[in-house]
Amino acid sequence: MINYNPRESSDLLLDTLWAYRTSKMDVIGCTPYELAYGHEAIILAEANVRTIRVNEQGNMTTKAYQEAMSIMNLDIGAKRERALITLINQKKLTTESYNKRVRSKSFKVDDLVWKVRLPMGHKDHFYGKWTPQWEGPFRAVKVCSGNSYGLRDMNGNKTRTNINGKFIKPYHPTIWEKYAQNIQKSFPEFWENMHK
């Protein structure tokens, strides 16, 4: 509808909103108009003659209209409660299905972690596609709310901002670091002479 008349989209907005507000939603079991006003949207041309009395001249009386609306309003509280319960249940189901795929990570103070290199996806010209995506190790020095952590590198420099938990992962030493640790433990004198 708007594709054919892009300049007239503002004129079609009221019709679109009316269609949305008077369409029945499966989630809440009724129309948004009905939840707001307590009754279905009634177009006077389609009014049910049995419910609304019409006087001799063919005009609907105010009293008859008010009676018809009051009958429909009796059930609005129950409809709103049912809609709210349905929405809450739908939200729980959505949360459960989302959380099935989420792996929670939590770190404690003094844990060693890797941190994502920011900006993500940035490639170094020298390494090309072999540019490392993680950097570290960092030590967690502060656990903040919202699964964020204050980090400090091994030289003692603190990161400028806290890092969200989804951008860090547990640190496991590489094979070369393990090899260096074994040499340091097995041959401490050689290690000291090598680092002088």
Side-chain angles (χ1 to χ4, degrees), residues 138-160:
F138 288 90
R139 188 172 301 279
V141 291
K142 184 178 179 187
V143 178
C144 304
S145 63
N147 195 29
S148 64
Y149 299 89
L151 302 179
R152 190 177 300 243
D153 65 10
M154 299 316 284
N155 296 331
N157 302 325
K158 197 170 182 181
T159 55
R160 285 184 291 158

Side-chain angles (χ1 to χ4, degrees), residues 19-168:
Y20 174 78
R21 291 173 181 157
T22 57
S23 299
K24 186 172 182 177
M25 306 290 167
D26 289 336
V27 177
I28 57 178
C30 59
T31 65
Y33 185 94
E34 189 176 351
L35 276 184
Y37 298 106
H39 57 81
E40 288 286 339
I42 297 175
I43 300 172
L44 295 179
E46 300 173 358
N48 188 349
V49 179
R50 287 173 287 165
T51 351
I52 302 173
R53 288 187 225 103
V54 177
N55 65 11
E56 298 81 33
Q57 290 83 24
N59 297 327
M60 181 174 50
T61 61
T62 307
K63 185 176 179 185
Y65 180 76
Q66 287 174 348
E67 286 176 11
M69 292 301 110
S70 65
I71 291 168
M72 291 180 178
N73 283 339
L74 292 176
D75 196 31
I76 188 62
K79 277 185 185 175
R80 287 179 179 162
E81 283 182 33
R82 280 195 305 269
L84 180 63
I85 290 169
T86 307
L87 285 172
I88 289 171
N89 290 338
Q90 188 72 29
K91 183 77 171 171
K92 283 181 186 174
L93 288 173
T94 305
T95 304
E96 287 172 8
S97 74
Y98 175 78
N99 286 340
K100 283 180 185 175
R101 292 173 281 162
V102 173
R103 282 191 249 154
S104 62
K105 294 189 278 184
S106 62
F107 302 97
K108 294 177 263 172
V109 174
D110 288 336
D111 282 354
L112 291 175
V113 296
W114 290 104
K115 178 179 81 73
V116 166
R117 291 186 68 161
L118 298 174
M120 293 175 70
H122 174 73
K123 290 189 175 22
D124 191 330
H125 294 291
F126 180 74
Y127 292 110
K129 67 180 181 180
W130 287 285
T131 301
Q133 300 300 314
W134 298 87
E135 59 186 357
F138 288 90
R139 188 172 301 279
V141 291
K142 184 178 179 187
V143 178
C144 304
S145 63
N147 195 29
S148 64
Y149 299 89
L151 302 179
R152 190 177 300 243
D153 65 10
M154 299 316 284
N155 296 331
N157 302 325
K158 197 170 182 181
T159 55
R160 285 184 291 158
T161 59
N162 293 336
I163 307 294
N164 192 312
K166 68 181 179 180
F167 297 119
I168 58 178

